[in-house]
Amino acid sequence: MIKCILTMLLLLSFSSFACKEFTLGDTFPVEDFSDFSYILVVKIDSTIHKESGYMGLVSFDAEVSEQIKGDLNVGDKFSGKALREIAHAVCPVNLKDGESYLLLLNYQDNGYVLSRFSSPVSINNVRFSAYLEQVKNAYNKPFKQDK
């Protein structure tokens, strides 16, 4: 009986440390783009992921396919890294070589950084086109001044 209880406690303690993937619905989860300096569609040339744990992204090389916000242009190549941040039980980013993504980035400490909270979306996601349209429409909304 004690063995059974200890086993259950052990299993529950491991599950409480597990990360959770973003559940993507019909609406792109980021609404405020003011926190991001770059909104891009990129093709990932290469990645480095951690060898242990959740195999999170360490760094990546990419080429810009579409620029929505920021001073990078189509065809520009750049290197980026995963932002070191408190996880709050959100899984680290995993990018696949050769795949294209909608990325929201910032520039810090002389480099481009990608947050696990920016909801990177693969072009293979069934909602990619809808998300891209939503992001473009939301970012390009005219500024309304308070009266």
Side-chain angles (χ1 to χ4, degrees), residues 5 16 21 24 37 60 73:
I5 292 172
S16 66
E21 294 285 338
L24 298 172
S37 302
F60 63 95
N73 297 307

Side-chain angles (χ1 to χ4, degrees), residues 60-88:
F60 63 95
D61 295 316
E63 181 175 345
V64 177
S65 304
E66 186 172 348
Q67 180 262 22
I68 300 163
K69 180 181 180 183
D71 59 3
L72 290 171
N73 297 307
V74 173
D76 286 351
K77 293 187 177 236
F78 69 97
S79 296
K81 60 186 176 185
L83 181 63
R84 297 186 72 146
E85 57 197 333
I86 298 173
H88 297 291

Side-chain angles (χ1 to χ4, degrees), residues 84-101:
R84 297 186 72 146
E85 57 197 333
I86 298 173
H88 297 291
V90 174
C91 290
V93 173
N94 284 291
L95 302 178
K96 294 180 182 174
D97 295 357
E99 204 162 295
S100 294
Y101 292 86

Side-chain angles (χ1 to χ4, degrees), residues 50-56:
K50 289 181 183 175
E51 296 290 326
S52 62
Y54 291 103
M55 311 297 271

Side-chain angles (χ1 to χ4, degrees), residues 28 30 33 39-40 68 102 104 129-141:
F28 188 70
V30 177
F33 300 103
I39 304 173
L40 306 167
I68 300 163
L102 171 61
L104 284 60
S129 295
Y131 289 160
L132 185 58
E133 185 177 336
Q134 290 171 23
V135 168
K136 286 179 180 179
N137 290 337
Y139 177 66
N140 293 319
K141 281 184 184 172

